[in-house]
Amino acid sequence: MTRHYSFFNLLREGLRGHSGWEPAWRDAEPKPSYDAVIIGGGGHCLATAYYLAREHGMTNIAILEKGWIGGGNAGRNTTIIRSNYLYDESAAIYGHALKLWEGLGRELNYNIMMSHRGVLNLAHDDHEARQLKRRVEANRLNSIDSEYLDAKQVKEFCPAISISQDVRYPVIGATLQRRGGVNRHDAVVWGFARAASAMGVDIVQNCEVTGIRAEAGAVTGIDTNRGFIRTPKIASVVAGHSSVVARMVGLRLPIESHPLQALVSEPVKPVLNCVVMSNAVHAYCSQSDKGELVIGAGIDAYLSYTQRGGFDVIEHEIASLLELFPNFSRLRMMRQWGGIVDVCPDASPIISKTGVKGFYVNGGWGTGGWKATPGSGHAFADLVANDEPNGIAAPFAIERFVTGRLVAEHGAAAVAH
Ligand code: FAD
Ligand code: PYC
């Protein structure tokens, strides 16, 4: 049952040190065995657990997270949501995710602060404009809302942006996906966690997976810093550490791990009404409900597992952003952070069974996986439960790196890999 708190409840709890609040989910102790174990505690992992329990009746399952849930990319990303990818395979999964986002707050009975404020992808030269127009046509063929605006229409839709043509990268047009937008990352994590936990899923935090055991080509269990757990199914959903965990069963994934940074400015009154992204200048921006400008760039070029990133990337992204929004130049930066993203050669994810029976991988979402969270969890849960990929997951099987049937989405990934 959901408890509703009045102002006076909130005040009393604040003064009492929150002693009367019920935890939203159980912080479980690991059991000796489960029907399935999911490694990771990000959005994709929690969504997978939620749909495994809700749609496939698998409730004797555990999430093992080495830190705290939402402490990885789920809590570090800039929450841009859109489905305007080029290829049919991508349209299917990102489109499915966007539809699920639309009803998710209601379904979880949790305010995920979904805001369909529109996403602009800017064009700065004729070649880019042609590429973006091609994408608009491809999107429409897949029933994904997408339109092309000229510079004047961009200014009408987003008054804060400068369309001066007297700069290095003038805005000459943009695609607009009106159903795109942003939401609140920790609310999504907590909403999925509460719903999964209520159905019996064990959420185990501070539990690092250190090894995976297999016999006769099939997994038998998992070693953790809190002991051994027996299970016939292991689903790896660990984003930047996908290749590290896959190595535990002897698999080498075609994935590189890079830092991706973001920062926020001090909070200001509402000034930016939509999401603005530019591939060419490697910068993007939106305004949070608290008033901070949420700003990001492309990846740091080197491979790393440190959740920081180099200052040169921030300097470059801010210089670019100020050409688009000269009036942001007086704002002070408040916080900066990085996350580790796992990038596949074709900028598309891996949702797949593997050569080791019972070991499944969901990873390689690179810089753009947040938007896919519910769709990814839904498709992956189906694969883990039935041991066969459904129509949405099948194109993202790991075999594509052998067959060559890549889903090359670098152009639509929007943040340079
Ligand atoms: P995570 O949330 O990273 O979860 C993986 C978890 O696995 C982590 O919590 C980690 O602690 C845990 N883990 C790792 N190894 C182990 C182990 N051995 N044992 C136990 N647990 C382990 N995407 C968008 O669509 N839109 C955006 O605007 C956007 N902005 C981004 C901005 C930044 C700065 C970053 C870093 C990423 C951004 N992304 C964006 C990408 C997006 O965040 C990721 O693709 C997505 O969140 C990955 O989801 P996940 O749940 O798999 O990962
Ligand atoms: O994939 O839209 C995206 C994105 C925006 C910022 C980081 N990734």
Side-chain angles (χ1 to χ4, degrees):
M1 192 181 74
T2 308
R3 293 257 305 263
H4 296 282
Y5 291 96
S6 69
F7 170 76
F8 294 105
N9 284 136
L10 286 172
L11 189 63
R12 195 172 57 232
E13 288 303 334
L15 293 172
R16 290 203 311 206
H18 300 182
S19 58
W21 281 4
E22 292 165 21
W25 67 87
R26 283 176 306 111
D27 197 14
E29 288 296 316
K31 291 199 290 223
S33 74
Y34 290 98
D35 294 339
V37 163
I38 308 170
I39 313 174
H44 288 236
C45 163
L46 288 155
T48 303
Y50 169 74
Y51 291 116
L52 271 173
R54 201 198 72 174
E55 302 214 339
H56 304 281
M58 289 185 68
T59 53
N60 181 31
I61 62 176
I63 286 169
L64 307 183
E65 163 56 52
K66 70 176 174 186
W68 63 96
I69 59 168
N73 291 342
R76 295 163 185 273
N77 83 98
T78 47
T79 76
I80 296 174
I81 287 169
R82 57 191 174 84
S83 58
N84 55 354
Y85 282 67
L86 183 61
Y87 290 103
D88 298 351
E89 295 87 344
S90 317
I93 188 151
Y94 293 106
H96 180 50
L98 185 47
K99 285 195 189 121
L100 290 173
W101 281 125
E102 284 165 345
L104 196 64
R106 239 183 345 270
E107 183 178 327
L108 298 176
N109 187 23
Y110 209 102
N111 183 3
I112 60 166
M113 296 170 75
M114 191 68 227
S115 160
H116 299 278
R117 61 185 65 178
V119 176
L120 287 172
N121 287 94
L122 303 179
H124 299 281
D125 62 35
D126 288 342
H127 177 69
E128 230 186 343
R130 273 195 290 272
Q131 293 293 330
L132 287 178
K133 284 177 188 166
R134 176 185 174 212
R135 189 133 63 88
V136 166
E137 299 306 336
N139 292 159
R140 287 183 173 177
L141 286 172
N142 279 313
S143 304
I144 285 173
D145 69 302
S146 189
E147 54 200 280
Y148 188 82
L149 308 183
D150 63 24
K152 192 162 153 280
Q153 291 168 318
V154 170
K155 182 76 181 168
E156 278 162 16
F157 185 74
C158 178
I161 203 165
S162 163
I163 56 164
S164 163
Q165 299 297 297
D166 192 20
V167 290
R168 285 181 308 164
Y169 295 99
V171 174
I172 67 165
T175 61
L176 169 62
Q177 185 174 22
R178 292 181 192 268
R179 285 165 64 231
V182 286
N183 60 13
R184 178 80 207 167
H185 39 37
D186 41 19
V188 172
V189 166
W190 297 335
F192 271 130
R194 186 178 71 172
S197 176
M199 288 185 283
V201 174
D202 275 0
I203 297 175
V204 188
Q205 301 182 102
N206 300 311
C207 187
E208 178 166 7
V209 172
T210 52
I212 294 173
R213 298 192 201 174
E215 276 168 30
V219 300
T220 54
I222 205 159
D223 287 301
T224 79
N225 62 344
R226 295 173 69 175
F228 177 69
I229 298 170
R230 241 183 0 263
T231 182
K233 290 190 183 210
I234 299 174
S236 168
V237 199
V238 291
H241 288 78
S242 297
S243 48
V244 177
V245 169
R247 283 229 172 216
M248 295 178 187
V249 281
L251 294 177
R252 185 152 181 246
L253 297 181
I255 278 182
E256 288 185 348
S257 292
H258 292 264
L260 180 67
Q261 304 187 48
L263 61 100
V264 291
S265 73
E266 60 188 323
V268 287
K269 291 263 165 60
V271 58
L272 182 58
N273 59 334
C274 61
V275 180
V276 179
M277 313 188 65
S278 165
N279 242 353
V281 306
H282 292 181
Y284 64 89
C285 189
S286 68
Q287 188 169 22
S288 77
D289 291 337
K290 281 189 282 185
E292 301 156 349
L293 290 161
V294 182
I295 297 167
I299 55 169
D300 285 46
Y302 51 85
L303 308 182
S304 170
Y305 289 101
T306 57
Q307 293 172 313
R308 274 201 310 266
F311 192 71
D312 57 312
V313 175
I314 299 180
E315 194 180 15
H316 175 81
E317 97 192 53
I318 295 297
S320 310
L321 196 80
L322 291 183
E323 279 194 0
L324 297 172
F325 301 99
N327 53 349
F328 292 172
S329 65
R330 299 257 184 95
L331 288 176
R332 282 169 296 191
M333 181 172 99
M334 204 162 66
R335 294 190 304 279
Q336 173 270 349
W337 65 91
I340 305 303
V341 295
D342 49 348
V343 182
C344 280
D346 58 354
S348 284
I350 297 170
I351 307 172
S352 191
K353 297 169 44 157
T354 65
V356 182
K357 191 167 166 37
F359 184 72
Y360 307 88
V361 175
N362 180 336
W365 292 93
T367 60
W370 179 254
K371 68 177 78 61
T373 301
S376 153
H378 195 242
F380 193 48
D382 193 71
L383 169 61
V384 173
N386 299 315
D387 203 37
E388 273 310 315
N390 63 22
I392 288 184
F396 300 104
I398 203 165
E399 284 76 28
R400 76 178 187 275
F401 298 104
V402 177
T403 63
R405 283 195 68 87
L406 302 181
V407 188
E409 287 288 7
H410 280 282
V415 173
H417 287 135

